[in-house]
Amino acid sequence: MNDDLLGRHRAVLPDWLALYYDEPLEITHGEGRHVWDARGNRYLDFFGGILTTMTAHALPEVTKAVTEQAERIVHSSTLYLNRPMVDLAERIAQLSGIPDARVFFTTSGTEANDTALLLATAYRRSNTILAMRNSYHGRSFSAVGVTGNRGWSPTSLSPLQTLYVHGGVRTRGPFADLDDYDYVAACVDDLKDLLGHSRPPAALIAEPIQGVGGFTSPPDGLYAAFREVLHERGVLWISDEVQTGWGRTGEHFWGWQAHARSGPPDMLTFAKGIGNGMSIGGVVARAEIMNCLDANSISTFGGTQITMAAGLANLTYLLEHDLQGNARRVGGLLIERLRAAAAHVPAVREVRGRGLMIGIELTKPGTDEADPDAASAVLEAARAGGLLIGKGGGHDTSALRVAPPLSLNVAEAEEGAAILEDALRSIQ
């Protein structure tokens, strides 16, 4: 680490801007599933800039598209017709599963969720929002107001009235001991009771798999059951696909498809992986919802040509190379390998996830008490072994997050699993 750079960072950037590692890392370049730091050390990257380098570092197809677009025009705003934006919107609308879909592009997942909340509250004329406990939806004032994770919610002030619902964390809470059928039934009963004590909400916003929350998820079908209750009351369903979208879970292209009994959501939000590092976010909604605003609006940077070119190239590569199928196959191997390793480590409470979205929750052995110090120790040990992973969780950041680029191959999965196994054993 360049100590001068760290000093400069601390002198001009906020204290709350988190840095990983006791000796923070400067990443200078990457290729495929690997990155290098300023000292020349090479790492296998199992976090991808927080699930954002979705296909590969320095993917030639994306680099070429960005270079060629930059040589023509980088930006013009949404006040002018924009062919790359229309091209990508058409692809995403078709893939979304939402009928008569409209797409609005933003620069981040936070902004996408902020836009979805604006649309829902305007459409329904209500500022009451249902959100899940342990959830995370972004950093803006409104997104923080619907975030159910205390570690990422710095203020209780909000323009919204938020009511938090059970169900996002299968193995904790008052219903954890129930089987899946009874768990869903209990969560639905709780939702009905909550609705009976509140003004009609605008929407439920939910991550199919909670990202910052530690890659936790409910049983399949929970949100379909919720949707049936909500639909009777006209309440919208917003699926936050910022981390689960684009085939990362392997089994489905979108996370909502694990809850598809009642059809697609009214809105979905996306970001992160679609740009492979370029700043793209967005909302997909039925036309009647998207068009409900009665004031002018534009986006200066959402949908700018250079990011749209990157998104088109990246999405094309992902589909043509069946990276969803690769996430299912290689991710299945990786999660089984990690479960086998964790069986010998008493501090591991659970290994969970789907595809290439895997969480490892650490607790003090023999208890359900979170152990964030153990998670930090494993993070450091993995780095020392040449592997970068992430952290998260609603219980004091005690879950490790494993989310490599979707082009990960079997040899790299085995290598990363071996490093992580050694890192987990080092804390015993």
Side-chain angles (χ1 to χ4, degrees):
M1 174 66 193
N2 184 330
D3 292 334
D4 180 58
L5 182 60
L6 178 58
R8 290 162 57 198
H9 174 104
R10 288 173 171 164
V12 297
L13 297 173
D15 290 345
W16 43 260
L17 196 63
L19 286 169
Y20 272 172
Y21 306 115
D22 293 337
E23 294 184 9
L25 186 67
E26 180 191 0
I27 294 175
T28 58
H29 63 286
E31 181 178 348
R33 277 70 57 193
H34 292 86
V35 294
W36 285 259
D37 68 14
R39 294 177 175 174
N41 297 309
R42 177 176 178 261
Y43 302 93
L44 186 57
D45 184 5
F46 271 25
F47 203 40
I50 319 177
L51 290 81
T52 299
T53 306
M54 177 171 68
T55 47
H57 291 280
L59 186 70
E61 289 82 352
V62 173
T63 301
K64 181 174 183 286
V66 168
T67 301
E68 290 178 351
Q69 182 61 54
E71 290 173 345
R72 293 191 295 270
I73 188 169
V74 171
H75 167 78
S76 67
S77 89
T78 57
L79 289 171
Y80 306 93
L81 286 172
N82 178 334
R83 190 174 300 274
M85 181 169 66
V86 173
D87 289 343
L88 185 55
E90 288 174 339
R91 298 288 298 278
I92 292 173
Q94 186 273 324
L95 289 164
S96 73
I98 294 175
D100 195 20
R102 299 294 187 273
V103 182
F104 178 75
F105 288 106
T106 67
T107 61
S108 69
T110 290
E111 191 187 348
N113 285 331
D114 192 81
T115 302
L117 293 168
L118 169 66
L119 291 169
T121 53
Y123 182 78
R124 289 274 295 157
R125 311 304 301 169
S126 167
N127 75 331
T128 300
I129 296 293
L130 302 172
M132 304 304 294
R133 300 181 184 189
N134 195 51
S135 59
Y136 175 82
H137 298 290
R139 187 196 48 77
S140 70
F141 191 40
S142 68
V144 162
V146 297
T147 286
N149 185 319
R150 173 63 186 87
W152 293 90
S153 185
T155 177
S156 62
L157 303 175
S158 175
L160 304 167
Q161 180 186 36
T162 305
L163 306 174
Y164 291 101
V165 182
H166 282 297
V169 185
R170 177 65 182 90
T171 61
R172 288 186 180 270
F175 308 140
D177 293 335
L178 302 176
D179 63 28
D180 283 355
Y181 179 85
D182 289 336
Y183 180 93
V184 170
C187 290
V188 169
D189 287 343
D190 176 72
L191 173 63
K192 290 178 179 177
D193 182 69
L194 183 64
L195 291 170
H197 294 282
S198 66
R199 292 185 178 277
L204 165 72
I205 185 169
E207 306 157 274
I209 298 177
Q210 295 181 331
V212 169
F215 294 169
T216 61
S217 62
D220 287 358
L222 175 73
Y223 294 119
F226 278 4
R227 176 73 182 283
E228 292 171 2
V229 173
L230 299 174
H231 186 69
E232 293 176 355
R233 296 160 173 79
V235 181
L236 305 177
W237 172 27
I238 304 167
S239 185
D240 179 341
E241 301 277 355
V242 170
Q243 297 196 31
T244 50
W246 319 112
R248 176 165 287 280
T249 67
E251 296 176 28
H252 305 288
F253 195 76
W254 303 105
W256 69 258
Q257 290 169 316
H259 308 269
R261 183 176 74 224
S262 58
D266 299 289
M267 284 187 270
L268 68 81
T269 58
F270 62 85
K272 290 192 182 291
I274 182 60
N276 205 44
M278 299 294 281
S279 297
I280 305 177
V283 183
V284 188
R286 298 197 322 266
E288 63 178 310
I289 299 171
M290 185 68 82
N291 294 334
C292 76
L293 302 183
D294 60 1
N296 293 325
S297 191
I298 61 167
S299 184
T300 303
F301 290 109
T304 199
Q305 284 92 334
I306 196 164
T307 61
M308 297 294 96
L312 275 166
N314 195 45
L315 182 57
T316 298
Y317 183 92
L318 178 139
L319 294 171
E320 290 182 349
H321 291 80
D322 186 25
L323 295 193
Q324 177 185 336
N326 191 67
R328 181 178 64 254
R329 293 184 296 272
V330 180
L333 180 153
L334 180 57
I335 196 168
E336 289 308 316
R337 178 77 167 76
L338 292 175
R339 282 176 174 154
H344 306 288
V345 181
V348 177
R349 179 178 184 270
E350 183 182 21
V351 178
R352 56 185 175 242
R354 279 183 165 163
L356 288 173
M357 194 172 185
I358 303 168
I360 304 171
E361 185 177 347
L362 302 177
T363 55
K364 294 180 179 177
T367 76
D368 279 342
E369 184 181 350
D371 196 342
D373 291 339
S376 294
V378 174
L379 196 80
E380 294 283 354
R383 175 196 171 174
L387 178 71
L388 304 185
I389 57 174
K391 289 191 298 182
H395 295 80
D396 299 317
T397 318
S398 62
L400 305 171
R401 293 202 284 163
V402 176
L406 302 189
S407 58
L408 186 77
N409 62 44
V410 170
E412 292 163 340
E414 291 283 5
E415 178 188 355
I419 295 170
L420 195 45
E421 180 175 7
D422 288 343
L424 286 167
R425 289 178 180 275
S426 74
I427 65 171
Q428 296 190 83

